[in-house]
Amino acid sequence: MKHVGKTERIGRQHLSTLARLARYELGALLSLLMLFGGGWGFVELAEEVAEGETRSIDEALLLSLRNPADHADPLGPGWVEELGRDFTALGGVGVLVLVSLGALGYLLLARHYRAALFASVAVPGGMLLSTLMKAGFDRPRPDLVPHEAIAYTASFPSGHAMMSAVTYLTLAALLIRVQPELKLKAYILALAMLLTLLVGMSRVYLGVHWPTDVLAGWTAGTAWAALCWLAMRWMQRRGQAV
């Protein structure tokens, strides 16, 4: 009986190890798909935008969010427009810096020093990449409708969409790696995705970006977050716990 009990315990341990390995490898595979899919999607979208192929759909989608009788009036009551401004602020530099500092403080207090160091490089790096890409493409802002928010820089890709994806998804990837409970992992990731989506949609609703600007920001930001996840995984494999 003792031999049978020992065999069962060993079998359960092996199954548990295999289950953890399967989840680990599945995460790596999904990250690779996000990295290459996001990168490929951005390149294809950039080519279409440069050739003017997206102009008609951009205009149609942008105008669909406006009162047909008055393009200066976004669809919905005034409180919806105010919500749009609130959501778009979640992708502003000031808010993203505060969120990043808050997450950095948590990681330091929890003594996840390597994760904190990684965050202090990954998030600013993604923001810098967004700035360089906007300067490189230099696409004009939409001119079909009045802007409901102040915009200073070029249009493609959407800086708010890309930086929110970079910040929220990268920080989520870091927090997930230091959080053992599956339910909390899922909650953190879902919240990061929701914030990223709300920021991007608000930019189109407020008329400061073409829809393809936002889509490009999402794809580029997601690819960056996936790259960061894979880098963390590589560091962990080398025995450098993140």
Side-chain angles (χ1 to χ4, degrees):
M1 292 295 292
K2 291 183 178 180
H3 178 73
V4 174
K6 183 178 181 180
T7 302
E8 289 179 351
R9 286 196 300 272
I10 293 174
R12 286 195 296 268
Q13 290 174 355
H14 285 170
L15 287 174
S16 178
T17 301
L18 288 173
R20 288 196 299 269
L21 182 61
R23 289 196 298 269
Y24 188 74
E25 296 302 330
L26 178 60
L29 177 60
L30 290 175
S31 294
L32 281 171
L33 290 174
M34 290 170 59
L35 173 59
F36 290 109
W40 175 81
F42 178 83
V43 170
E44 289 294 317
L45 191 58
E47 290 180 354
E48 294 293 317
V49 168
E51 294 171 0
E53 299 293 332
T54 64
R55 180 77 183 189
S56 59
I57 191 170
D58 270 334
E59 292 180 352
L61 289 173
L62 195 61
L63 291 177
S64 71
L65 298 175
R66 297 286 167 144
N67 183 341
D70 182 9
H71 289 169
D73 179 27
L75 290 179
W79 63 266
V80 174
E81 187 175 338
E82 192 64 23
L83 273 181
R85 294 192 184 94
D86 291 341
F87 290 150
T88 210
L90 296 173
V93 173
V95 172
L96 293 178
V97 169
L98 286 175
V99 169
S100 299
L101 290 176
L104 185 63
Y106 164 77
L107 292 171
L108 289 172
L109 289 172
R111 298 183 179 180
H112 296 296
Y113 300 121
R114 289 186 183 276
L117 178 61
F118 193 92
S120 66
V121 174
V123 174
M127 292 183 176
L128 176 61
L129 178 63
S130 173
T131 301
L132 293 175
M133 291 170 70
K134 288 173 75 70
F137 286 101
D138 198 27
R139 186 187 192 186
R141 295 275 177 170
D143 53 2
L144 286 180
V145 299
H147 299 171
E148 302 300 321
I150 298 175
Y152 302 100
T153 58
S155 195
F156 185 92
S158 166
H160 277 63
M162 182 172 174
M163 289 191 300
S164 61
V166 164
T167 303
Y168 294 128
L169 295 180
T170 300
L171 292 178
L174 277 168
L175 294 174
I176 283 172
R177 294 196 70 81
V178 302
Q179 176 54 246
E181 294 188 31
L182 183 59
K183 288 187 295 185
L184 289 177
K185 289 177 183 285
Y187 174 77
I188 292 171
L189 181 58
L191 182 59
M193 293 173 64
L194 176 62
L195 291 172
T196 301
L197 289 173
L198 288 175
V199 170
M201 291 187 293
S202 71
R203 301 304 283 171
V204 180
Y205 179 75
L206 295 175
V208 292
H209 273 296
W210 300 107
T212 47
D213 296 336
V214 170
L215 185 57
W218 281 339
T219 55
T222 299
W224 179 265
L227 178 62
C228 291
W229 194 97
L230 289 168
M232 287 185 284
R233 178 179 180 273
W234 177 79
M235 291 173 64
Q236 187 178 52
R237 292 286 293 271
R238 289 177 60 87
Q240 302 175 18
V242 177

